[in-house]
Amino acid sequence: ARTKYPALGAAMSSVPLIKNQPQSTQYHALTRPDARQEGKKSQGDTEGKILRALDQELLEQIPQGLQQFLLRPLGNLTEIPGLVKPEHSVGCLFCGLLCPLHACCAHRLIREGQIGLSWWGDEPLLLGPGRHFLMHPTQQFTRVELLSNQHISHGPIHIIRVDKGKLGYAMDTSTGQPMLLIAGTHYIRKAEFKWGRFLDLTERVNNIGALKMIRVDRGQVAYFYRSGELQILQPGLHVIAPPDRFGGFVSTQLQLLDLPKTIHESGDYVRLEIDADVLYAIVDPALALIRVQDLEKLIRKTAISTLAGIIRSSNLSEVAGSRRATFSENLEVKTGRKESRDADSKQGAIGGMGKKAGLSAGQMNQSQTEPPAPSAPSFQQKVHDEFLKELHDYARKELGVEISNIRINDLRIASDALANNIAKEAIKIAEQEAEYRMLQKEADIRTVRANNIALETKIKAQAQADEKMILIQADNDATIAKARATAEAVEISAKADKHAKILAHEAAATGILTRAKAEKDARVMHGEADEKYAKMVSATTLGSRLAELSVQKETLKGLGKVAYVPGLPNLLKNSEFIVTPKDL
């Protein structure tokens, strides 16, 4: 083949045994490019980036121990080594002309999306799309395969297409090493190559020869043994290689263990049949696997024996007390939450009316009986508390298990005769309780009616008193308003009189001041005139004498008679008299 087709021989001489390309691409990009694909180049580039990102994310999740066995796919179809193109057989056209019959029969058309498989002696050939002429007698055409087939085998040549989310597993028989093929199309030419199968990465366990790839999901753990020691695998992908031995998976979620129906005797030797479930979760897988061989069986046996001890320490009255009510229980416990809520709502309405009418809480509740003390817990609650008290700490510390709850589905008397007798007694008690509830209801109705009548009377009296108080208050308000108006009028009048008097006094004072000032000015002017006159008179002897006579004239004005005393002027001249205003 190398001498016949030089290009083919050169290509085959450079083919490695295992083709391991560094790039990772989707299969639709591996077909031979044509004019139609050129128009979708931009879209293919975008999709290629997305797919490469997905491949990278998948590779990061593969355990480190398997990374060395991964093989990457081809870049595109033209990279398949040894692929024979149609032009390689054109050189034999001359032979076809010499042997026209042979030429018509010895040719094959390989369509797009197919690959032809043939042999040139002992050399396998891959024929690409196009028409091929088989001219040599030793060249034999085998078959045509679709490129969409997941595995194409032709002698030592293997073309394998791995889908997304899977790995291809094969074995190199010369070394015994596994080969893991990631998503894409792979070309492998090796006689020692042995194809295995496709690995689904969503499966919990994948066998890769002697290796195991373990997928652990959230809510569980896996375990294996290394040198005889237990090892726990947390959620993720893990690989286990010999001599390590894989053990299995352990759920860490809440699990329900159905206990079989069992019969136990109570403290008063009554046989009771109980049906219960236990809820538990494994919180320490290593401790649970090391300490216990069959954990579920141990929990079941321990739970049954614990229930037997609890029932043995109880009597029938405690069991029956958890299913029926007694006369000493209050209304909420006997008739349920609905009647209690109704009673509370009615009591709240009456209480609200009582507040409007001025009634106290003590007056409203005089006819009500005090509620009894809280009753003892039910038998189911007792079983729950004692069961967890007995097993919780023990299971947590010794078994690595947390028991969270026990649920009693059914609890009944095993003896039918005793159960019938108790049922009859229960019917009588139920009838008495029904009668008691009816009587209690009637008493409550009468009490409510009496309270309503008393409340209505009280409201009417209160309304009348309020009406009188309103009228009196209105009269008082009117009187106060009238007195306030009168006082305000008197105050205004007094203020006006006061203001008028102030103005009158101010006017009188102003007039006095004006007159005083005028008199003062007149006196000053008169004095100034007298002074000027006196100066003018005193300037001559005659004027002085005339002034003296004028004074005497003014002094004697109005007198009818005048007595003359000759020596009086001299007497007065030598004497001093002090004349006071009183003398005048």
Side-chain angles (χ1 to χ4, degrees):
R2 294 185 176 90
T3 58
K4 186 66 178 179
Y5 299 135
L8 176 60
M12 294 178 61
S13 63
S14 61
V15 174
L17 293 179
I18 300 178
K19 185 69 175 177
N20 187 4
Q21 298 293 338
Q23 64 271 19
S24 175
T25 59
Q26 178 71 353
Y27 176 71
H28 67 72
L30 301 183
T31 57
R32 194 172 69 173
D34 56 16
R36 290 173 296 177
Q37 292 176 341
E38 293 296 335
K40 301 180 180 178
K41 184 176 180 181
S42 60
Q43 180 180 0
D45 293 341
T46 304
E47 293 178 355
K49 292 179 182 180
I50 297 174
L51 294 170
R52 283 192 291 272
L54 294 176
D55 287 339
Q56 185 62 31
E57 182 180 358
L58 175 62
L59 292 177
E60 292 176 355
Q61 298 181 29
I62 299 296
Q64 189 65 32
L66 297 178
Q67 293 282 346
Q68 57 181 327
F69 304 121
L70 293 177
L71 299 179
R72 296 180 180 272
L74 295 171
N76 65 57
L77 187 60
T78 59
E79 295 184 5
I80 296 180
L83 185 64
V84 179
K85 299 181 180 180
E87 55 268 19
H88 290 160
S89 59
V90 174
C92 296
L93 181 60
F94 178 72
C95 297
L97 295 176
L98 295 179
C99 303
L101 181 61
H102 177 74
C104 292
C105 297
H107 66 88
R108 289 292 185 272
L109 176 61
I110 309 301
R111 302 182 183 278
E112 192 73 29
Q114 296 178 343
I115 188 169
L117 307 180
S118 67
W119 288 90
W120 185 285
D122 61 349
E123 191 73 30
L125 296 180
L126 301 179
L127 305 181
R131 186 173 297 276
H132 296 264
F133 294 90
L134 308 178
M135 307 304 299
H136 200 279
T138 61
Q139 188 174 2
Q140 180 184 0
F141 182 80
T142 305
R143 67 185 186 275
V144 175
E145 292 278 357
L146 295 176
L147 286 175
S148 59
N149 292 343
Q150 291 188 327
H151 182 207
I152 300 174
S153 177
H154 185 45
I157 298 177
H158 298 267
I159 301 176
I160 302 170
R161 183 174 63 85
V162 183
D163 295 334
K164 288 293 180 181
K166 294 184 179 181
L167 289 177
Y169 162 64
M171 178 68 68
D172 185 356
T173 58
S174 62
T175 62
Q177 296 291 339
M179 302 167 64
L180 297 179
L181 285 62
I182 65 175
T185 300
H186 298 260
Y187 171 87
I188 298 174
R189 180 189 175 107
K190 188 171 185 179
E192 295 81 7
F193 178 83
K194 182 181 179 181
W195 169 246
R197 62 189 180 91
F198 292 101
L199 303 179
D200 189 353
L201 297 181
T202 61
E203 293 182 0
R204 300 174 67 183
V205 180
N206 277 300
N207 294 317
I208 308 175
L211 305 180
K212 288 184 181 293
M213 186 169 62
I214 309 301
R215 177 189 179 93
V216 184
D217 296 326
R218 182 69 62 183
Q220 63 180 3
V221 296
Y223 64 95
F224 71 101
Y225 295 92
R226 173 174 294 169
S227 300
E229 294 295 331
L230 179 69
Q231 304 291 330
I232 301 297
L233 298 177
Q234 298 300 327
L237 289 176
H238 307 271
V239 61
I240 299 176
D244 298 344
R245 180 175 63 86
F246 175 67
F249 296 89
V250 175
S251 175
T252 57
Q253 295 176 324
L254 188 65
Q255 302 183 55
L256 178 66
L257 179 61
D258 186 11
L259 300 180
K261 292 183 179 180
T262 53
I263 297 177
H264 306 286
E265 286 188 353
S266 64
D268 47 3
Y269 304 102
V270 177
R271 292 166 57 84
L272 300 175
E273 182 183 34
I274 185 171
D275 179 19
D277 299 325
V278 176
L279 278 77
Y280 72 96
I282 298 176
V283 294
D284 191 345
L287 181 62
L289 290 169
I290 292 174
R291 295 296 300 273
V292 184
Q293 182 177 5
D294 191 342
L295 180 62
E296 185 174 316
K297 181 178 179 181
L298 178 61
I299 295 176
R300 182 182 293 108
K301 292 292 185 181
T302 306
I304 292 174
S305 61
T306 304
L307 284 176
I310 295 173
I311 294 177
R312 194 176 297 113
S313 64
S314 307
N315 52 44
L316 185 60
S317 61
E318 292 178 328
V319 178
S322 65
R323 291 184 174 271
R324 63 179 180 85
T326 60
F327 292 142
S328 62
E329 293 178 339
N330 58 20
L331 182 62
E332 181 176 357
V333 176
K334 292 183 299 178
T335 60
R337 295 183 178 179
K338 182 177 180 180
E339 293 185 5
S340 177
R341 288 196 299 268
D342 294 341
D344 291 342
S345 61
K346 293 179 180 178
Q347 184 66 25
I350 296 174
M353 296 173 64
K355 289 181 181 179
K356 293 181 180 179
L359 297 178
S360 64
Q363 294 173 344
M364 293 299 298
N365 296 327
Q366 288 180 355
S367 62
Q368 303 293 333
T369 58
E370 294 294 331
S375 59
S378 65
F379 181 71
Q380 284 85 349
Q381 185 65 35
K382 176 184 176 182
V383 172
H384 174 273
D385 295 343
E386 294 189 9
F387 185 86
L388 293 183
K389 181 180 178 182
E390 291 288 335
L391 292 185
H392 183 272
D393 294 340
Y394 162 75
R396 182 66 180 83
K397 295 179 181 179
E398 301 296 332
L399 306 179
V401 175
E402 183 173 3
I403 298 178
S404 59
N405 194 11
I406 180 172
R407 185 178 63 186
I408 299 178
N409 301 321
D410 189 22
L411 180 63
R412 63 180 61 193
I413 299 173
S415 173
D416 294 338
L418 181 59
N420 292 333
N421 292 334
I422 294 177
K424 292 178 181 179
E425 293 294 330
I427 292 174
K428 292 181 181 179
I429 293 175
E431 292 175 351
Q432 294 174 358
E433 289 179 351
E435 184 180 1
Y436 171 79
R437 287 196 296 269
M438 184 177 64
L439 295 175
Q440 184 66 30
K441 274 292 184 182
E442 292 179 356
D444 293 342
I445 292 173
R446 288 194 294 268
T447 301
V448 172
R449 287 177 179 174
N451 289 335
N452 289 340
I453 294 173
L455 181 60
E456 185 179 358
T457 303
K458 182 68 176 180
I459 291 174
K460 290 181 178 180
Q462 186 68 32
Q464 293 176 357
D466 292 342
E467 184 180 2
K468 292 181 179 180
M469 289 296 296
I470 291 172
L471 294 175
I472 294 173
Q473 186 67 30
D475 293 339
N476 292 338
D477 293 342
T479 302
I480 292 172
K482 184 177 180 180
R484 185 179 291 112
T486 303
E488 290 177 354
V490 172
E491 183 179 359
I492 292 172
S493 178
K495 287 182 178 180
D497 293 342
K498 179 180 178 182
H499 187 63
K501 289 180 179 180
I502 290 173
L503 293 177
H505 288 302
E506 289 179 353
T510 303
I512 293 172
L513 290 175
T514 303
R515 285 195 303 271
K517 186 177 181 181
E519 291 176 358
K520 177 181 177 182
D521 294 339
R523 288 179 182 178
V524 171
M525 294 175 64
H526 184 68
E528 291 176 352
D530 290 341
E531 181 182 2
K532 186 176 181 180
Y533 176 74
K535 288 180 180 181
M536 292 174 62
V537 172
S538 62
T540 61
T541 304
L542 177 59
S544 175
R545 184 61 182 166
L546 290 175
E548 184 178 355
L549 291 175
S550 178
V551 171
Q552 290 178 358
K553 179 182 177 182
E554 291 292 332
T555 304
L556 295 177
K557 184 183 294 185
L559 295 179
K561 293 180 179 182
V562 177
Y564 178 73
V565 181
L568 184 58
N570 293 327
L571 179 63
L572 294 175
K573 185 178 180 181
N574 295 324
S575 299
E576 294 182 0
F577 293 94
I578 299 173
V579 180
T580 64
K582 292 182 178 181
D583 296 333
L584 297 176

